[in-house]
């Protein structure tokens, strides 16, 4: 499956963006999906993840209360709504997917995801 992340851009601190992750050559409806980010000079880090049923999403502590991950399985798309953005949120954001037999599986580590999108750049100006 090939993933396409979109929705990045330039936004002022305090603003919002919504990222989207869609798939070709497969369907995300059978996948757990995670969002990760990589800032310049830093390692890629977990942001949020959602199981294929959409229940029990997981978040990194630094985005709790600000970001919301959701999915529309009819559209085969996973979203990351980012609110109250800070300059520290500036990074390339990647979506990743893993075919999952369980609705309870919500991986949060890079190594659990075999499929990755190309990333979309989010720049937050202070």
């Amino acid at each position: 499956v090939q993933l396409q992340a979109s929705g990045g851009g330039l936004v002022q601190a305090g603003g919002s963006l919504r990222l989207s992750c869609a798939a070709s050559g497969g369907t995300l409806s059978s996948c757990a999906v995670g969002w990760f980010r990589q800032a310049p000079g830093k390692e890629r880090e977990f942001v949020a993840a959602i199981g294929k049923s959409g229940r029990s999403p997981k978040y990194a502590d630094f985005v709790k209360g600000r970001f919301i991950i959701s999915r529309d399985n009819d559209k085969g798309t996973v979203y990351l709504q980012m609110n109250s953005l800070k300059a520290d949120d500036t990074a390339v954001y990647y979506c990743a997917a893993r075919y999952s037999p369980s609705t309870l599986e919500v991986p949060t580590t890079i190594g659990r995801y075999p499929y990755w999108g190309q990333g979309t750049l989010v720049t937050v100006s202070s």
Side-chain angles (χ1 to χ4, degrees), residues 44-112:
R44 194 170 298 189
E45 62 182 354
F46 169 73
V47 175
I50 191 166
K52 65 180 185 180
S53 71
R55 292 179 291 183
S56 303
K58 295 182 180 178
Y59 297 93
D61 287 344
F62 54 78
V63 302
K64 283 182 180 177
R66 300 191 297 126
F67 291 9
I68 300 171
I69 189 171
S70 62
R71 65 189 303 152
D72 184 335
N73 283 341
D74 289 337
K75 295 182 178 179
T77 304
V78 173
Y79 304 99
L80 185 68
Q81 177 67 43
M82 305 188 297
N83 302 318
S84 302
L85 283 162
K86 307 174 183 179
D88 287 347
D89 295 318
T90 295
V92 176
Y93 283 72
Y94 299 88
C95 63
R98 170 185 178 89
Y99 283 106
S100 175
S102 170
T103 58
L104 301 178
E105 184 179 36
V106 189
T108 61
T109 55
I110 292 172
R112 297 289 305 279

